[in-house]
């Protein structure tokens, strides 16, 4: 990767970081909450103990993670 490509990659990453930061700093975080809830629902379907022999310990971790994420949105 030459200098120009590295600079382009850095700028691309920076723009993603700015985008994520702007989402997290908005007073209305409905978009971020939607992303968290969508991810939660997807994983809950996969790991729910009543569906397809899921893993109850994974569901406990998933519920804790969702709670932490939703409670710490800026």
């Amino acid at each position: 990767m030459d200098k120009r490509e590295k600079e382009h990659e850095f700028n691309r990453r920076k723009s993603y970081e700015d985008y994520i930061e702007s989402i997290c700093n908005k007073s209305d975080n409905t978009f971020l909450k939607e992303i968290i809830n969508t991810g939660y629902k997807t994983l809950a379907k996969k790991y729910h103990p009543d569906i397809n022999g899921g893993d109850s310990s994974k569901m406990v971790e998933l519920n804790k993670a969702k709670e932490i994420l939703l409670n710490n949105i800026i």
Side-chain angles (χ1 to χ4, degrees), residues 46-69:
K46 182 176 181 180
Y47 293 117
H48 197 281
D50 294 339
I51 301 172
N52 298 327
D55 187 359
S56 61
S57 64
K58 293 268 189 186
M59 276 303 296
V60 170
E61 289 178 29
L62 184 59
N63 286 326
K64 285 180 186 176
K66 179 186 174 193
E67 181 181 340
I68 290 169
L69 288 170

Side-chain angles (χ1 to χ4, degrees), residues 14-36:
K14 191 65 177 164
S15 65
Y16 286 132
E17 290 171 5
D18 291 342
Y19 176 70
I20 291 170
E21 186 177 326
S22 70
I23 290 172
C24 293
N25 288 330
K26 287 185 178 177
S27 59
D28 181 24
N29 286 309
T30 55
F31 179 68
L32 191 55
K33 289 177 184 177
E34 252 183 62
I35 291 172
I36 293 168

